[in-house]
Each structure stands twice: as C-alpha cells, then as structure tokens.
Amino acid sequence: MIITVPTTPYTDQKMGTAGLRRKSKVVMQKNYVENFVQSIFNVIGDLSNKTFLVGGDGRFYNNIAIQKIIKIAAANGVKKLLIGQKGLISTPAGSVVIRKNKLNGGLILSASHNPGGENGDFGLKYSNETGGQVPSSVSDAIYQQTTKISEYKICDDSDIDLSKLGSFEYCGMQIEVIDSVKDYVEMMQNIFDFNAIKKMFANGFTMRFDAMNAVTGPYAIEIFENILGAPKGSVVNFIPKEDFGGLHPDPNLVYAKELVDFMFSDKAADFGAANDGDGDRNMILGKSFFVTPNDSLAIITDNYKLIPHYKNGIYGVAKSAATSTAVARVAKEHNIGYYEVPTGWKYFVNLMDSNRITFCGEESFGTGSSHIREKDGIWAVLFWLNILAATGKTVEETTVEHWKKYGRSYYIRFDFEGVDTATADTLMADLETKLPNLINQTFGDFTVKEAAPFVYKDPVDESITKNGLIIYFTDGSRIVYRLSGTGSSGATIRVYLERFSAEDISQNPLDMVSPLAEIALEVAEIPSRTGKVKADVIT
C-alpha cells in the first residue's frame, strides 16, 4: 500500500512569515503539495513516535491537500494524526489543540486573509510543538529540501471520510477526527468572565460578528450566540465556504464593507467585529466608530486587570516595528516589559516562552497573548466584550478616554499591491542607501531625526533580524517601509504613517497623516518606480 513516487523539485517553495502561500492553480500542479509535505517530514526525521494536527480554513483545495497529507504521513511512519472535523480548524484553535494535547506540531492549511477559490490563494504551514510558527532555521532547512527532493512516499489507498468524529487506523497510522471547536471554547471560558458578558447581553446589549464565510463561523455561533446569549442572527456569514462566498476575508475597512456599512448606519449594533479567513485577525467597531489595531492592542494592555485570567499581572507587551507606538506609552505607565520585533508572529514566541511578554500585536489586525503561540481573533473580540461588560462603557467612550489619558497616535497604512518583485526589491535597496542622507533634512513641518533599517536582536537566542526601514521625525512622527511576505504573487510595498498628538485627539486620521504620505512617496520614489500614484488599499 505504500509506494515511492519519483518527483522533480519546484524552485518556489520557500516559506514566508507564515508558511507557504501560492495561487491555488500553482499548488494544483503535479506533486506540488507532495513535494512540500515530504520535505517537511524529511527535515523532522524519525516520525515513528510523533503525533500531528491537520486542519485548515476550508478554502478551495484544502480537502484535496488534506487527503494527500494523510497519505504521505502514513507512508512516512507518522504515529498519529488529529484532524479537525470536515478538515476544518482555525489557526488559533489549532495552536490550542497542539499545546493541550502536547502534540509534536501541526500542518495548518490556510492563506489567512487572502482570497480563496480556484483563482484565489492557498497556504500551508508547519507549526511546531509550541503551536506556533517554526523558527527561520527550520523553514530554511525545509526550503533546502524542496530544492533537491527526488521522491516522496505515499499510501496508495482511498480517501477518508472526515465528517464523523472518532478514531480509526489508516495504512498503519492512527487517526482521530476531533471536534474543532470544543478545546478552544473551553480555553476561552477559562480566560474571560463569561457570566459578566452573558449578563450584558441579557440586558439588551447587541453585537454583529462577521465571520466572512470563513472558519470562525462555527466558533462564533457556539460562543457568542449559544453560550453568551447574543441574539440569534448576531453572527453573519458563518458558514465556511471554499471561496468565502466571493468575499476577501480580510477584516479591515475595505474588505469588511458589509459590516462597516452596518455599523455606520442607524441600525448599528452596540459592538461590531470580524475575523479573517483562518481566524487569527480581528477588527473592532463601535457605533459609527472604528478602533485601529494599534489602539486595540494599547487598550487591551491598559485594561488587563479586568480579565480574570490576567488580573494578577502580566509580564509585558510586544509589538511589531510597523505598529504604532501607542502601546509603548501604556507599557511605561504600567511599568511592564516592552519589546519591538520584526513583522512575523514567530518573533513573539521566544518572548512568550521566556516569560518576557503576555500580550502582543501587529498593526495588520493581529492581536494575541501567551495563551497560545498564534494571534487570536475571537480572543481579542472576547477581551473587548469583557472590558465593556466590566465598565459599562461604549467602544467609543473606552477609546476616547484612552486617548485623553495617553495621547493619540494617528496611524494609517498604505498598501501598494502587485508590484513587480524585482522593482520592489530595488526600490527598498536604493531607499536604504539613501536613509543616512535624510538625517536633519526638513520636509515642510517635519525634520528627520533618524533614518535607518530596523534591526532586532532577539534577547533569548541573540539572533539578528533586519526588517523594514524607518524614518523618525523630531516631533515623534514616523514613516515605516516594508515588503509584505503574505502575498501569493508579486510584492506588496507597505508604508506605515504615524503622527502623535498629546492634546488634539479628534481630527481625521487621513488629514493628519497626509503630509507624511506625500513625504513617504517622494522619498521612496514610489510613483515613478512602480507607476502607482496612490495606494491600492488604505487601512
């Protein structure tokens, strides 16, 4: 039943910050998935005593890829697989299952917030025993395997029905189809004050949660409607679909337009939220009010004592370099640890494992804590609901009071998508060369204080990572440039603009950062080099 199949390498199987992401039609090529999975197993080595989780966000081709993974795992001598029912599991729930059951890791199939469908994107990543992303040394080793792979092993047997819970043997390997929701829900109940939130709903509080036809629909129905008592219909777009119902499952002001329009209408609920394709990102809204991910991380950190699981204290907080400095002011006020890391959730893991931080977040709508080793969308939504239940304040009142106490970082991200990779690489290289000459230059009302690449030295393993370019101005404003590693084709140039004000907290964010946007485009020569005179996405 086990056969060895000759194969030839693909040259494009190097993982980005969150695994391998490619167009679905690329992944559908002969032996593409097989090569990558076999390369992972080759790097791991002896599999005879190892158990892994397998599951994904339900996007197009996931079911086919999962069947391939099962057969390759069996052929390579894996002891056991835990598989989410119907092949589904959210990224944060996957981390919960790996950690709770002390698994050796997991193969998680998701392209996160990227579109799905045959013409959309596909993703696959290997998580280790922490329930989080593997370090660069491991992903690099896997890539090296993909460049020289000549064969893979596979069990030549029929596909498996994953719709029913239970345990059985397949090709000499144990398989357990598990409830994808159960372990995750239990963990959330042990973190938050569900009774307080339930009482808030019983008193008439309303919410709208948009699962964007993605994997967190079943989680949201169980937690918000069935357990906490939110009115039926509070969760929308809750059935996972292979193409996300045509939606782009990225919870931001552009792609979650249905939710945004509702929350800015006269029918708005008290609270609005959305998750992305695999459930690790979140967006928070109040009535006609949007909370930036930067402010959300700062507000969560400032209110940690309201949450039962954290009331006795937290170690510290970390943010990606591109994220605004809002949380830094909170960390200083609470006298807790504070760290700035490169973009990529794996950089938070060492800080968590060494008890340096409890909370962390990225500006790209990702927030989380040390309860798992991934960002966690529903966790962030529950944190906000717990804050509102404990204080009786609205989302807007909570945020405005925070600004009055700490000042406001006006912050917007400009994404220039689908840029030719060589063009983007040259632009960034030339800009880095230019940075030292910008110091002390004046652009309108802004004078450059410092301009340099962001360089991070990990305090645990002392590894050095360079990620992005930052221009600091004398008034505390910043411009950050970075190439995104989460796309499936071309390159995305991301430009992050931040302008701080201690007193003037009620202005339009775009108006406040527009002068910085002009400087950012001029300095990097984005229009002349890319042909783009404006950003494709502004969030």
Side-chain angles (χ1 to χ4, degrees):
M1 295 174 67
I2 295 174
I3 60 175
T4 299
V5 182
T7 189
T8 55
Y10 286 93
T11 61
D12 64 343
Q13 294 192 328
K14 185 175 179 62
M15 287 190 277
T17 56
L20 182 69
R21 291 185 186 169
R22 295 291 181 264
K23 288 294 182 184
S24 299
K25 289 183 177 179
V26 171
V27 177
M28 292 165 67
Q29 295 177 95
K30 182 180 179 180
N31 295 342
Y32 196 93
V33 170
E34 290 88 339
N35 282 14
F36 187 64
V37 174
Q38 184 66 61
S39 296
I40 292 173
F41 288 148
N42 287 349
V43 169
I44 296 171
D46 182 11
L47 300 165
S48 60
N49 212 19
K50 290 185 166 55
T51 302
F52 298 97
L53 172 71
V54 176
D57 60 16
R59 67 178 57 231
F60 177 82
Y61 205 66
N62 268 22
N63 287 335
I64 294 173
I66 286 173
Q67 297 292 340
K68 292 175 184 286
I69 291 169
I70 292 169
K71 295 172 183 179
I72 296 171
N76 280 271
V78 170
K79 178 183 178 181
K80 183 178 181 179
L81 293 181
L82 270 61
I83 305 175
Q85 189 175 19
K86 297 181 180 179
L88 296 174
I89 198 155
S90 74
T91 292
S95 188
V96 170
V97 171
I98 291 170
R99 293 173 65 80
K100 177 181 177 180
N101 295 281
K102 296 180 171 56
L103 305 186
N104 299 105
L107 295 169
I108 308 299
L109 296 88
S110 173
S112 188
H113 55 291
N114 294 5
E118 187 173 0
N119 296 312
D121 299 337
F122 176 91
L124 173 59
K125 69 177 176 181
Y126 164 48
S127 299
N128 61 17
E129 68 280 357
T130 70
Q133 299 168 17
V134 295
S136 298
S137 59
V138 176
S139 60
D140 289 345
I142 293 169
Y143 173 63
Q144 290 304 315
Q145 280 287 321
T146 68
T147 65
K148 58 187 180 183
I149 189 170
S150 60
E151 62 183 31
Y152 63 86
K153 295 179 181 179
I154 191 164
C155 178
D156 186 18
D157 204 346
S158 57
D159 286 354
I160 295 173
D161 180 5
L162 299 175
S163 64
K164 297 179 180 179
L165 302 177
S167 300
F168 52 92
E169 184 177 304
Y170 176 82
C171 199
M173 177 179 67
Q174 291 298 312
I175 288 179
E176 182 180 356
V177 179
I178 64 169
D179 184 331
S180 307
V181 176
K182 180 176 176 290
D183 286 345
Y184 181 81
V185 171
E186 288 179 357
M187 174 168 276
M188 294 303 104
Q189 290 174 312
N190 289 328
I191 293 175
F192 299 103
D193 188 346
F194 270 41
N195 288 332
I197 301 172
K198 188 183 299 186
K199 183 178 179 181
M200 181 173 67
F201 278 116
N203 288 334
F205 184 86
T206 58
M207 77 175 290
R208 172 70 65 94
F209 179 90
D210 192 341
M212 303 191 82
N213 298 319
V215 76
T216 57
Y219 297 84
I221 290 289
E222 178 65 14
I223 292 172
F224 301 129
E225 293 190 7
N226 295 347
I227 297 177
L228 294 175
K232 297 298 181 184
S234 295
V235 179
V236 298
N237 296 321
F238 55 83
I239 299 176
K241 298 179 180 179
E242 286 192 343
D243 65 348
F244 305 113
L247 295 179
H248 186 150
D250 194 353
N252 59 42
L253 295 172
V254 176
Y255 295 126
K257 186 176 186 300
E258 178 184 329
L259 176 65
V260 173
D261 288 347
F262 174 79
M263 290 301 298
F264 279 76
S265 74
D266 55 8
K267 298 179 181 179
D270 296 310
F271 178 78
N275 283 171
D276 69 333
D278 68 333
D280 62 359
R281 299 185 182 210
N282 74 93
M283 178 171 67
I284 303 298
L285 298 161
K287 287 185 176 181
S288 299
F289 193 84
F290 166 63
V291 183
T292 72
N294 307 271
D295 285 329
S296 183
L297 175 62
I299 290 167
I300 281 173
T301 305
D302 196 39
N303 288 278
Y304 72 84
K305 292 181 180 179
L306 298 178
I307 311 303
H309 185 69
Y310 307 111
K311 65 182 180 181
N312 292 327
I314 60 175
Y315 292 114
V317 64
K319 74 173 189 68
S320 64
T323 302
S324 87
T325 56
V327 76
R329 298 188 288 275
V330 176
K332 183 178 180 180
E333 173 70 18
H334 286 272
N335 193 29
I336 57 176
Y338 168 74
Y339 299 85
E340 237 180 39
V341 306
T343 296
W345 209 257
K346 61 185 176 183
Y347 295 105
F348 295 124
V349 172
N350 275 355
L351 300 175
M352 293 177 182
D353 289 343
S354 60
N355 292 333
R356 284 174 165 84
I357 64 168
T358 302
F359 298 151
C360 51
E362 298 174 332
E363 55 71 37
S364 54
F365 295 80
T367 325
S369 88
S370 55
H371 68 290
I372 56 173
R373 295 301 181 265
E374 294 279 4
K375 44 186 172 273
D376 191 344
I378 285 183
W379 172 90
V381 174
L382 285 168
F383 205 120
W384 268 91
L385 287 173
N386 206 151
I387 290 173
L388 302 181
T391 63
K393 297 172 183 174
T394 67
V395 172
E396 182 174 2
E397 288 169 345
T398 301
T399 307
V400 171
E401 286 187 15
H402 182 86
W403 291 338
K404 288 179 179 178
K405 180 179 180 181
Y406 291 102
R408 182 178 182 182
S409 286
Y410 289 95
Y411 182 96
I412 290 182
R413 187 184 88 195
F414 285 45
D415 285 359
F416 299 86
E417 298 179 334
V419 179
D420 174 75
T421 301
T423 298
D425 288 341
T426 301
L427 182 152
M428 291 294 287
D430 291 346
L431 179 57
E432 182 174 347
T433 301
K434 184 189 295 186
L435 289 181
N437 298 324
L438 296 176
I439 298 173
N440 295 324
Q441 281 196 37
T442 297
F443 299 86
D445 296 331
F446 299 89
T447 301
V448 178
K449 179 182 180 181
E450 184 181 349
F454 173 74
V455 179
Y456 176 68
K457 182 177 181 180
D458 191 296
V460 179
D461 61 22
E462 297 188 343
S463 61
I464 304 294
T465 304
K466 186 169 74 172
N467 184 266
L469 310 172
I470 307 181
I471 299 174
Y472 301 89
F473 297 92
T474 54
D475 69 340
S477 299
R478 300 190 314 156
I479 299 173
V480 181
Y481 300 89
R482 190 180 70 83
L483 293 184
S484 172
T486 58
S488 61
S489 61
T492 297
I493 300 172
R494 287 186 167 160
V495 181
Y496 311 82
L497 309 170
E498 177 181 1
R499 187 175 183 181
F500 174 70
S501 177
E503 303 292 339
D504 194 358
I505 61 171
S506 59
Q507 297 302 311
N508 179 284
L510 189 57
D511 291 342
M512 290 293 283
V513 303
S514 287
L516 290 174
E518 294 178 9
I519 298 169
L521 268 65
E522 174 190 341
V523 169
E525 303 174 12
I526 289 176
S528 62
R529 288 175 178 254
T530 69
K532 294 178 177 288
V533 296
K534 63 179 182 179
D536 296 286
V537 178
I538 299 176
T539 55

